[in-house]
Coordinates of all heavy atoms in Angstrom, one line a residue:
R366 N -107.9 -73.9 37.0 CA -106.8 -74.1 36.1 C -105.7 -73.1 36.3 O -106.0 -71.9 36.3 CB -107.2 -74.1 34.7 CG -106.3 -74.3 33.6 CD -107.0 -74.3 32.2 NE -107.0 -72.9 31.9 CZ -107.6 -72.5 30.8 NH1 -108.1 -73.4 30.0 NH2 -107.6 -71.2 30.4
L367 N -104.4 -73.4 36.3 CA -103.3 -72.5 36.5 C -102.2 -72.8 35.6 O -101.8 -74.0 35.4 CB -102.8 -72.6 37.9 CG -101.4 -71.9 38.3 CD1 -101.7 -70.4 38.1 CD2 -100.9 -72.3 39.6
R368 N -101.8 -71.7 34.9 CA -100.6 -72.0 34.0 C -99.5 -70.9 34.2 O -99.8 -69.8 34.7 CB -100.9 -72.2 32.5 CG -101.4 -70.9 31.9 CD -102.0 -71.2 30.4 NE -102.1 -69.9 29.7 CZ -103.3 -69.2 29.7 NH1 -104.3 -69.7 30.4 NH2 -103.4 -68.2 29.1
I369 N -98.3 -71.3 34.0 CA -97.2 -70.3 34.2 C -96.5 -70.1 32.9 O -96.0 -71.2 32.2 CB -96.3 -70.8 35.2 CG1 -97.0 -71.1 36.6 CG2 -95.1 -70.0 35.5 CD1 -96.2 -71.9 37.7
E370 N -96.3 -68.8 32.6 CA -95.7 -68.6 31.3 C -94.5 -67.6 31.4 O -94.6 -66.7 32.4 CB -96.7 -68.0 30.3 CG -97.7 -69.0 29.9 CD -98.8 -68.4 28.9 OE1 -98.6 -67.2 28.5 OE2 -99.7 -69.2 28.7
N371 N -93.5 -67.5 30.5 CA -92.5 -66.5 30.5 C -93.2 -65.1 30.0 O -94.2 -65.2 29.4 CB -91.4 -66.9 29.5 CG -90.6 -68.0 30.1 OD1 -90.4 -68.2 31.3 ND2 -90.1 -68.9 29.2
V372 N -92.7 -64.1 30.5 CA -93.1 -62.8 30.0 C -92.2 -62.3 28.8 O -91.0 -62.1 29.2 CB -93.2 -61.8 31.2 CG1 -93.6 -60.3 30.7 CG2 -94.1 -62.3 32.3
P373 N -92.7 -62.1 27.7 CA -91.9 -61.7 26.5 C -91.1 -60.4 26.9 O -91.6 -59.4 27.4 CB -92.8 -61.6 25.4 CG -94.1 -62.4 25.8 CD -94.1 -62.3 27.2
G374 N -89.8 -60.5 26.6 CA -89.0 -59.3 26.8 C -88.6 -59.0 28.3 O -87.9 -58.0 28.5
K375 N -89.0 -59.8 29.2 CA -88.7 -59.6 30.6 C -88.2 -60.8 31.2 O -88.8 -61.6 31.9 CB -90.1 -59.2 31.3 CG -90.7 -57.9 30.9 CD -89.9 -56.8 31.2 CE -90.6 -55.5 30.8 NZ -89.9 -54.3 31.3
P376 N -86.9 -61.1 31.1 CA -86.2 -62.2 31.7 C -86.4 -62.2 33.2 O -86.2 -61.1 33.7 CB -84.7 -62.1 31.2 CG -84.5 -60.7 30.7 CD -85.8 -60.2 30.3
G377 N -86.5 -63.2 33.8 CA -86.8 -63.4 35.3 C -88.2 -63.0 35.6 O -88.4 -63.0 36.9
W378 N -89.1 -62.8 34.8 CA -90.5 -62.5 35.2 C -91.3 -63.7 34.7 O -91.0 -64.3 33.7 CB -90.9 -61.3 34.4 CG -90.5 -59.9 34.9 CD1 -89.3 -59.7 35.6 CD2 -91.2 -58.7 34.8 NE1 -89.2 -58.3 35.9 CE2 -90.3 -57.8 35.4 CE3 -92.4 -58.3 34.3 CZ2 -90.6 -56.4 35.4 CZ3 -92.7 -56.9 34.2 CH2 -91.9 -56.0 34.8
K379 N -92.2 -64.0 35.5 CA -93.2 -65.1 35.2 C -94.7 -64.7 35.4 O -95.0 -63.9 36.1 CB -93.0 -66.4 36.0 CG -91.6 -67.1 36.0 CD -91.5 -67.7 34.8 CE -90.1 -68.4 34.7 NZ -90.0 -69.0 33.3
A380 N -95.4 -65.1 34.4 CA -96.9 -64.8 34.4 C -97.6 -66.0 34.9 O -97.5 -67.1 34.3 CB -97.4 -64.4 33.1
L381 N -98.4 -65.8 35.9 CA -99.3 -66.8 36.5 C -100.7 -66.5 36.1 O -101.2 -65.5 36.4 CB -99.1 -66.9 38.1 CG -97.9 -67.4 38.6 CD1 -96.8 -66.4 38.6 CD2 -98.1 -67.9 40.1
I382 N -101.3 -67.4 35.3 CA -102.6 -67.1 34.6 C -103.5 -68.2 35.2 O -103.3 -69.4 35.1 CB -102.5 -67.1 33.1 CG1 -101.4 -66.0 32.8 CG2 -103.8 -66.8 32.5 CD1 -101.0 -66.2 31.3
F383 N -104.7 -67.7 35.8 CA -105.6 -68.8 36.3 C -107.0 -68.4 35.9 O -107.4 -67.3 35.7 CB -105.4 -69.0 37.8 CG -105.5 -67.8 38.7 CD1 -106.8 -67.5 39.2 CD2 -104.5 -66.9 38.9 CE1 -106.9 -66.4 40.1 CE2 -104.6 -65.9 39.8 CZ -105.8 -65.6 40.3
S384 N -107.8 -69.3 36.0 CA -109.3 -69.2 35.8 C -110.0 -70.4 36.4 O -109.5 -71.5 36.6 CB -109.6 -69.2 34.3 OG -109.2 -70.3 33.6
P385 N -111.3 -70.3 36.7 CA -112.1 -69.1 36.6 C -111.7 -68.2 37.7 O -111.2 -68.6 38.7 CB -113.5 -69.6 36.8 CG -113.4 -70.9 37.6 CD -112.1 -71.5 37.2
Y386 N -112.0 -66.9 37.4 CA -111.7 -65.9 38.5 C -113.1 -65.3 39.0 O -113.9 -65.1 38.1 CB -110.9 -64.8 37.8 CG -110.7 -63.5 38.7 CD1 -109.8 -63.6 39.8 CD2 -111.3 -62.3 38.4 CE1 -109.7 -62.5 40.6 CE2 -111.2 -61.3 39.1 CZ -110.5 -61.3 40.3 OH -110.3 -60.1 41.1
S387 N -113.0 -65.0 40.2 CA -114.3 -64.4 40.8 C -114.0 -63.3 41.8 O -113.1 -63.5 42.6 CB -115.1 -65.4 41.6 OG -116.2 -64.9 42.3
T388 N -114.6 -62.2 41.7 CA -114.5 -61.1 42.5 C -114.9 -61.4 43.9 O -114.7 -60.6 44.9 CB -115.1 -59.7 42.0 OG1 -116.5 -60.0 41.9 CG2 -114.5 -59.3 40.7
K389 N -115.7 -62.5 44.0 CA -116.1 -62.9 45.4 C -115.2 -63.7 46.3 O -115.6 -64.2 47.2 CB -117.6 -63.7 45.2 CG -118.6 -62.8 44.6 CD -119.9 -63.5 44.3 CE -121.0 -62.7 43.7 NZ -122.1 -63.3 43.4
R390 N -114.0 -63.9 45.7 CA -113.1 -64.9 46.3 C -111.7 -64.1 46.5 O -111.5 -63.1 45.9 CB -112.8 -66.0 45.6 CG -114.1 -66.9 45.4 CD -113.7 -68.3 44.8 NE -114.9 -69.0 44.6 CZ -115.4 -69.9 45.4 NH1 -114.8 -70.2 46.7 NH2 -116.5 -70.6 45.2
N391 N -110.9 -64.4 47.5 CA -109.6 -63.9 47.7 C -108.6 -64.9 47.2 O -108.8 -66.1 47.3 CB -109.4 -63.7 49.3 CG -110.4 -62.7 49.7 OD1 -110.5 -61.6 49.2 ND2 -111.0 -63.0 50.9
Y392 N -107.5 -64.4 46.6 CA -106.5 -65.1 46.1 C -105.3 -64.8 46.7 O -104.9 -63.5 46.7 CB -106.4 -65.0 44.5 CG -107.8 -65.4 43.8 CD1 -108.8 -64.5 43.7 CD2 -107.9 -66.7 43.4 CE1 -109.9 -64.8 43.1 CE2 -109.1 -67.1 42.8 CZ -110.1 -66.2 42.6 OH -111.3 -66.5 42.0
L393 N -104.4 -65.9 47.1 CA -103.1 -65.5 47.7 C -102.1 -66.5 46.9 O -102.2 -67.7 46.8 CB -103.1 -65.9 49.1 CG -101.6 -65.9 49.8 CD1 -101.1 -64.5 49.8 CD2 -101.7 -66.4 51.1
V394 N -101.1 -65.8 46.2 CA -100.1 -66.6 45.6 C -98.8 -66.6 46.4 O -98.4 -65.6 47.0 CB -99.7 -65.9 44.2 CG1 -98.5 -66.7 43.5 CG2 -100.9 -66.0 43.3
E395 N -98.3 -67.8 46.8 CA -97.0 -67.9 47.4 C -96.1 -68.7 46.7 O -96.4 -69.5 45.7 CB -97.4 -68.9 48.7 CG -98.2 -68.0 49.7 CD -98.7 -68.9 50.9 OE1 -99.0 -70.0 50.8 OE2 -98.4 -68.3 52.0
W396 N -94.8 -68.7 47.0 CA -93.8 -69.4 46.3 C -92.7 -70.0 47.3 O -92.6 -69.5 48.3 CB -93.0 -68.4 45.3 CG -92.3 -67.3 46.0 CD1 -92.7 -66.0 46.2 CD2 -90.9 -67.4 46.4 NE1 -91.7 -65.4 46.9 CE2 -90.6 -66.1 47.0 CE3 -89.9 -68.2 46.2 CZ2 -89.4 -65.8 47.3 CZ3 -88.6 -67.9 46.6 CH2 -88.3 -66.8 47.2
T397 N -92.1 -71.0 46.7 CA -90.9 -71.7 47.5 C -89.9 -72.2 46.5 O -90.2 -72.1 45.3 CB -91.5 -72.7 48.4 OG1 -90.5 -73.2 49.2 CG2 -92.0 -74.0 47.6
V398 N -88.8 -72.5 47.0 CA -87.8 -73.2 46.3 C -87.7 -74.7 46.7 O -87.4 -75.6 46.0 CB -86.5 -72.5 46.4 CG1 -85.3 -73.3 45.6 CG2 -86.6 -71.1 45.8
E399 N -87.9 -75.0 48.0 CA -87.7 -76.3 48.6 C -88.9 -76.9 49.3 O -88.6 -77.9 50.0 CB -86.5 -76.3 49.6 CG -85.2 -75.8 48.9 CD -84.5 -76.8 47.9 OE1 -84.9 -78.1 48.1 OE2 -83.9 -76.5 46.9
F400 N -90.0 -76.4 49.3 CA -91.2 -76.8 49.9 C -91.2 -76.7 51.5 O -92.0 -77.2 52.0 CB -91.4 -78.3 49.5 CG -92.0 -78.5 48.1 CD1 -91.2 -79.0 47.2 CD2 -93.3 -78.2 47.8 CE1 -91.7 -79.3 45.8 CE2 -93.8 -78.3 46.6 CZ -92.9 -78.9 45.5
D401 N -90.1 -76.2 52.0 CA -90.0 -76.2 53.5 C -90.6 -75.0 54.0 O -91.2 -74.9 55.1 CB -88.6 -76.5 53.9 CG -87.6 -75.4 53.4 OD1 -88.0 -74.7 52.4 OD2 -86.6 -75.3 53.9
K402 N -90.5 -73.8 53.3 CA -91.1 -72.6 53.8 C -91.6 -71.8 52.5 O -91.0 -71.6 51.6 CB -90.0 -71.7 54.4 CG -90.6 -70.4 55.0 CD -89.5 -69.7 55.9 CE -90.0 -68.5 56.5 NZ -89.1 -67.7 57.3
W403 N -92.8 -71.3 52.7 CA -93.5 -70.6 51.7 C -93.6 -69.1 51.9 O -93.6 -68.7 53.0 CB -95.0 -71.0 51.6 CG -95.0 -72.5 51.0 CD1 -95.0 -73.6 51.7 CD2 -95.2 -72.8 49.7 NE1 -95.0 -74.7 50.9 CE2 -95.2 -74.3 49.6 CE3 -95.3 -72.1 48.4 CZ2 -95.2 -75.0 48.4 CZ3 -95.4 -72.8 47.2 CH2 -95.4 -74.2 47.2
F404 N -93.5 -68.3 50.8 CA -93.5 -66.9 51.0 C -94.5 -66.3 50.1 O -94.7 -66.6 49.0 CB -92.0 -66.3 50.4 CG -90.9 -66.9 51.1 CD1 -90.3 -67.9 50.6 CD2 -90.4 -66.5 52.3 CE1 -89.1 -68.6 51.2 CE2 -89.3 -66.9 52.9 CZ -88.7 -68.0 52.5
P405 N -95.2 -65.2 50.6 CA -96.2 -64.6 49.8 C -95.5 -63.7 48.7 O -94.4 -63.3 48.8 CB -96.9 -63.5 50.7 CG -95.9 -63.3 51.9 CD -95.1 -64.6 52.0
L406 N -96.2 -63.8 47.6 CA -95.5 -63.0 46.4 C -95.7 -61.5 46.6 O -96.8 -61.0 46.9 CB -96.3 -63.4 45.1 CG -95.7 -63.1 43.8 CD1 -94.3 -63.7 43.6 CD2 -96.7 -63.5 42.6
D407 N -94.5 -60.8 46.7 CA -94.5 -59.4 47.0 C -94.4 -58.5 45.8 O -95.0 -57.4 45.9 CB -93.3 -59.1 48.0 CG -93.4 -59.7 49.3 OD1 -94.4 -60.0 49.8 OD2 -92.4 -60.2 50.0
F408 N -93.6 -58.8 44.9 CA -93.4 -57.9 43.7 C -94.1 -58.5 42.5 O -93.8 -59.3 41.8 CB -91.9 -57.8 43.3 CG -91.1 -57.2 44.5 CD1 -90.3 -58.2 45.4 CD2 -91.1 -55.9 44.9 CE1 -89.6 -57.8 46.5 CE2 -90.4 -55.5 46.0 CZ -89.7 -56.4 46.8
F409 N -95.3 -57.9 42.3 CA -96.2 -58.4 41.1 C -97.1 -57.3 40.6 O -97.4 -56.2 41.2 CB -97.0 -59.6 41.5 CG -98.0 -59.3 42.6 CD1 -99.3 -58.9 42.3 CD2 -97.7 -59.4 44.0 CE1 -100.2 -58.7 43.3 CE2 -98.6 -59.2 45.0 CZ -100.0 -58.9 44.5
N410 N -97.5 -57.6 39.4 CA -98.6 -56.7 38.7 C -99.7 -57.7 38.6 O -99.5 -59.0 38.4 CB -98.2 -56.2 37.4 CG -97.3 -55.0 37.5 OD1 -97.6 -54.1 38.3 ND2 -96.1 -55.0 36.8
E411 N -100.9 -57.3 38.4 CA -102.1 -58.1 38.2 C -103.1 -57.5 37.3 O -103.1 -56.3 37.1 CB -102.8 -58.6 39.5 CG -103.2 -57.4 40.3 CD -103.8 -57.7 41.7 OE1 -104.3 -58.9 41.8 OE2 -103.7 -57.0 42.7
G412 N -103.9 -58.3 36.7 CA -105.0 -57.8 35.8 C -105.9 -59.0 35.4 O -105.7 -60.1 35.7
D413 N -106.9 -58.6 34.5 CA -107.7 -59.5 33.9 C -107.6 -59.7 32.4 O -107.3 -58.7 31.7 CB -109.1 -59.2 34.2 CG -109.5 -59.0 35.8 OD1 -108.9 -59.9 36.5 OD2 -110.2 -58.2 36.2
L414 N -107.8 -60.9 32.0 CA -107.9 -61.2 30.5 C -109.1 -61.9 30.3 O -109.3 -63.2 30.3 CB -106.6 -62.0 30.1 CG -105.3 -61.4 30.1 CD1 -104.2 -62.5 29.9 CD2 -105.1 -60.3 29.1
G415 N -110.2 -61.2 30.2 CA -111.6 -61.9 30.1 C -111.8 -62.6 31.4 O -111.9 -62.0 32.5
A416 N -112.1 -63.9 31.3 CA -112.4 -64.7 32.5 C -111.2 -65.2 33.1 O -111.3 -65.9 34.3 CB -113.2 -66.0 32.0
E417 N -110.0 -64.9 32.7 CA -108.8 -65.2 33.4 C -108.1 -64.0 34.1 O -108.3 -62.9 33.9 CB -107.8 -65.6 32.4 CG -108.1 -66.9 31.6 CD -107.1 -67.3 30.6 OE1 -106.5 -66.4 29.9 OE2 -106.7 -68.6 30.5
R418 N -107.4 -64.4 35.2 CA -106.7 -63.4 36.0 C -105.2 -63.8 35.8 O -104.9 -64.9 35.8 CB -107.1 -63.7 37.6 CG -106.5 -62.6 38.4 CD -107.1 -61.3 38.4 NE -106.8 -60.5 39.4 CZ -107.1 -59.3 39.5 NH1 -107.6 -58.6 38.5 NH2 -106.7 -58.4 40.6
F419 N -104.4 -62.7 35.7 CA -103.0 -62.9 35.7 C -102.3 -62.2 36.7 O -102.7 -61.0 37.1 CB -102.5 -62.5 34.2 CG -102.4 -61.1 33.9 CD1 -101.5 -60.2 34.3 CD2 -103.5 -60.5 33.2 CE1 -101.4 -58.9 34.0 CE2 -103.5 -59.1 32.9 CZ -102.5 -58.4 33.3
I420 N -101.3 -62.7 37.2 CA -100.4 -62.0 38.2 C -99.0 -62.3 37.7 O -98.6 -63.4 37.2 CB -100.4 -62.8 39.6 CG1 -101.9 -62.6 40.1 CG2 -99.4 -62.3 40.6 CD1 -102.2 -63.2 41.4
I421 N -98.3 -61.2 37.5 CA -96.9 -61.3 37.0 C -95.8 -61.1 38.1 O -95.8 -60.1 38.8 CB -96.6 -60.1 35.9 CG1 -97.6 -60.4 34.8 CG2 -95.2 -60.2 35.5 CD1 -97.5 -59.6 33.6
D422 N -95.1 -62.2 38.3 CA -94.0 -62.2 39.3 C -92.8 -61.5 38.7 O -92.2 -62.1 37.7 CB -93.7 -63.6 39.7 CG -92.6 -63.8 40.8 OD1 -92.0 -62.8 41.2 OD2 -92.3 -64.9 41.1
E423 N -92.6 -60.3 39.2 CA -91.4 -59.5 38.6 C -90.1 -59.9 39.2 O -89.0 -59.3 38.9 CB -91.7 -58.1 38.9 CG -93.0 -57.6 38.3 CD -93.2 -56.1 38.5 OE1 -92.5 -55.5 39.4 OE2 -94.3 -55.7 38.0
D424 N -90.0 -60.9 40.2 CA -88.7 -61.3 40.9 C -88.5 -62.8 40.9 O -88.0 -63.4 41.8 CB -88.8 -60.6 42.3 CG -87.4 -60.7 43.0 OD1 -86.5 -60.6 42.3 OD2 -87.4 -60.8 44.2
A425 N -88.8 -63.4 39.7 CA -88.7 -64.9 39.6 C -87.2 -65.2 39.2 O -87.0 -65.9 38.2 CB -89.6 -65.5 38.7
Q426 N -86.2 -64.8 40.0 CA -84.8 -64.9 39.6 C -84.3 -66.3 40.1 O -83.2 -66.6 39.5 CB -84.0 -63.8 40.2 CG -84.4 -62.5 39.8 CD -84.2 -62.2 38.3 OE1 -83.2 -62.7 37.8 NE2 -85.0 -61.4 37.7
E427 N -84.9 -67.0 41.0 CA -84.3 -68.3 41.4 C -84.3 -69.3 40.3 O -85.0 -69.1 39.3 CB -85.2 -68.8 42.5 CG -84.8 -68.2 44.0 CD -85.4 -66.9 44.2 OE1 -86.3 -66.5 43.4 OE2 -85.1 -66.3 45.2
P428 N -83.3 -70.2 40.3 CA -83.3 -71.2 39.2 C -84.7 -71.9 39.0 O -85.1 -72.1 37.9 CB -82.2 -72.2 39.7 CG -81.4 -71.4 40.8 CD -82.4 -70.4 41.3
K429 N -85.4 -72.1 40.1 CA -86.8 -72.6 40.0 C -87.5 -72.0 41.1 O -87.1 -72.0 42.2 CB -86.8 -74.2 39.8 CG -86.4 -74.8 41.3 CD -86.5 -76.2 41.3 CE -86.1 -76.9 42.6 NZ -86.3 -78.1 42.8
R430 N -88.8 -71.6 40.8 CA -89.7 -71.3 41.8 C -91.0 -72.2 41.7 O -91.5 -72.5 40.6 CB -90.1 -69.8 41.7 CG -89.4 -68.8 42.4 CD -90.0 -67.5 42.5 NE -89.1 -66.6 43.3 CZ -89.5 -65.3 43.6 NH1 -90.7 -64.9 43.2 NH2 -88.8 -64.6 44.3
I431 N -91.5 -72.6 42.8 CA -92.6 -73.4 42.8 C -93.8 -72.5 43.4 O -93.6 -71.9 44.5 CB -92.4 -74.7 43.8 CG1 -91.3 -75.5 43.1 CG2 -93.7 -75.5 43.9 CD1 -90.6 -76.4 44.2
Y432 N -94.9 -72.5 42.7 CA -96.0 -71.5 43.2 C -97.1 -72.5 43.7 O -97.5 -73.5 43.2 CB -96.4 -70.8 42.0 CG -95.4 -69.8 41.4 CD1 -94.6 -70.2 40.4 CD2 -95.3 -68.5 41.9 CE1 -93.7 -69.3 39.7 CE2 -94.3 -67.7 41.4 CZ -93.5 -68.1 40.4 OH -92.6 -67.2 39.9
R433 N -97.9 -71.8 44.6 CA -99.2 -72.4 44.9 C -100.3 -71.2 45.0 O -99.8 -70.0 45.3 CB -99.1 -73.1 46.2 CG -99.0 -72.4 47.5 CD -99.1 -73.3 48.6 NE -98.7 -72.6 50.0 CZ -98.4 -73.2 51.0 NH1 -98.4 -74.5 51.1 NH2 -98.2 -72.6 52.2
L434 N -101.5 -71.4 44.7 CA -102.5 -70.5 44.8 C -103.5 -71.0 45.8 O -104.1 -72.0 45.7 CB -103.1 -70.4 43.4 CG -104.3 -69.5 43.2 CD1 -104.0 -68.1 43.4 CD2 -105.0 -69.7 41.8
E435 N -103.7 -70.1 46.9 CA -104.7 -70.3 47.8 C -106.0 -69.5 47.5 O -105.9 -68.3 47.3 CB -104.1 -70.0 49.2 CG -105.1 -70.2 50.3 CD -104.5 -69.9 51.6 OE1 -103.5 -70.2 51.9 OE2 -105.3 -69.4 52.4
I436 N -107.0 -70.1 47.5 CA -108.4 -69.4 47.1 C -109.3 -69.6 48.3 O -109.5 -70.6 48.9 CB -109.0 -70.2 46.0 CG1 -108.1 -70.1 44.9 CG2 -110.3 -69.3 45.7 CD1 -108.6 -70.9 43.6
S437 N -109.8 -68.4 48.8 CA -110.7 -68.4 49.9 C -111.9 -67.5 49.8 O -111.9 -66.6 48.8 CB -110.0 -68.0 51.2 OG -109.4 -66.7 51.2
R438 N -112.9 -67.4 50.6 CA -114.0 -66.5 50.4 C -113.8 -65.3 51.3 O -113.3 -65.3 52.2 CB -115.3 -67.3 50.8 CG -115.6 -68.3 49.8 CD -117.0 -68.8 50.1 NE -117.3 -69.8 49.1 CZ -118.5 -69.8 48.5 NH1 -119.4 -69.1 48.9 NH2 -118.7 -70.7 47.5

């Protein structure tokens, strides 16, 4: 499950919150605007909220960003 939320008081920032989270897996967040080229998320903070993991995109300034989450072992 993945949800994207605004960060209160931080215009242009987005919180990507996903679960379940496991320390035994690797997570890569990428973004695009047009689906033709994907970029790794470079400017972010991360942390845990219980069983959920959050990543805050501090540079979500484009009119729209499309995100994908790659999970690997």
